[in-house]
Amino acid sequence: MPRVRALTSGLCLLTLLSLAACGDSDDSSLWVEGTFESDFDGHRVDHSDFDRYTRATASRADLPPTVNHLQLCGTSPEESTGGPRVDRAYCFNLYIDKQLPRGTPATFTLAGRTELPEPPGPNGHRAVFSPHEGHSASVRQVWVTPYCGPGVTAPNPVYQEVTGTLEVSTYDDTLIAGRLVAEMSGQSASGCPTQRTRADIQFTVPFGSGSNGHH
């Protein structure tokens, strides 16, 4: 399985949602492996590159002070075939309570409906998350957004149903590690909408600064 490499400015892509700058950290503890895929009108596309946009942010001007932002992304290689142009990335975004008990593994249930405005505001999407019964309150929001080039404009607003689990094995001031098994059905926002996105990935992501931008 592919593993995350150091983020470099040469890997930056333009997104219709924001002009997010790639991080300048070369922290070798950044690591992801597993499966990540999306459906486009009956075509299944694999997003098996994890080395571009995955990050964790603890502090940022637009980030609520009580949460950390974990963004886990899969990218498709430009030469992929069988569907639309797929030199693009899709990201599961999670707002996780900063006050989780530290040092103890825990599993959180994900179940809810997300509304995303289109077009996004200056700091990316302002997701509105409505939890379903059984959703773990320590995960405040879950949503999926893409990094991509021009394409079909999504409806306004966009609605998503998200289900799955987040297993956290390590969570401290320096990094978060665990496993995400999740599925989004509905539509991702912006110019490369997908009807379904699935991930089963294990990860170790160090916390960086807010300079990476918001998506």
Side-chain angles (χ1 to χ4, degrees):
M1 287 292 180
R3 297 195 173 191
V4 166
R5 298 185 295 276
L7 297 175
T8 62
S9 58
L11 292 173
C12 289
L13 292 178
L14 287 178
T15 169
L16 294 182
L17 301 178
S18 62
L19 295 178
C22 286
D24 56 5
S25 171
D26 60 356
D27 194 325
S28 61
S29 63
L30 182 64
W31 170 84
V32 184
E33 69 175 14
T35 59
F36 201 121
E37 60 185 20
S38 291
D39 292 343
F40 302 89
D41 298 323
H43 296 282
R44 180 174 297 179
V45 179
D46 178 60
H47 310 289
S48 56
D49 258 340
F50 302 113
D51 60 357
R52 295 192 180 188
Y53 301 112
T54 293
R55 61 181 65 110
T57 306
S59 177
R60 190 178 58 226
D62 65 299
L63 187 65
T66 57
V67 301
N68 292 321
H69 180 191
L70 176 63
Q71 178 173 285
L72 299 168
C73 305
T75 305
S76 291
E78 189 168 358
E79 64 271 16
S80 293
T81 59
R85 204 168 77 94
V86 289
D87 52 333
R88 52 186 63 158
Y90 291 87
C91 304
F92 276 91
N93 295 270
L94 302 98
Y95 277 1
I96 304 170
D97 197 327
K98 286 186 176 182
Q99 302 304 314
L100 293 185
R102 304 303 173 92
T104 303
T107 299
F108 304 97
T109 299
L110 309 177
R113 178 180 174 86
T114 299
E115 177 181 334
L116 298 170
E118 179 71 23
N123 293 315
H125 282 305
R126 295 184 176 92
V128 178
F129 184 74
S130 300
H132 294 330
E133 183 177 358
H135 178 80
S136 297
S138 294
V139 180
R140 305 288 186 86
Q141 293 187 4
V142 188
W143 74 98
V144 172
T145 50
Y147 285 82
C148 65
V152 178
T153 301
N156 181 14
V158 167
Y159 295 98
Q160 303 176 356
E161 293 285 336
V162 180
T163 59
T165 57
L166 173 68
E167 300 176 15
V168 176
S169 57
T170 303
Y171 188 50
D172 57 32
D173 294 335
T174 62
L175 62 80
I176 179 170
R179 181 183 183 188
L180 176 71
V181 180
E183 178 173 311
M184 183 281 291
S185 59
Q187 191 164 38
S188 61
S190 188
C192 49
T194 171
Q195 294 78 47
R196 192 176 303 273
T197 302
R198 292 173 292 271
D200 184 347
I201 50 181
Q202 299 180 67
F203 60 88
T204 298
V205 185
F207 282 104
S209 69
S211 61
N212 287 333
H214 179 245
H215 200 225

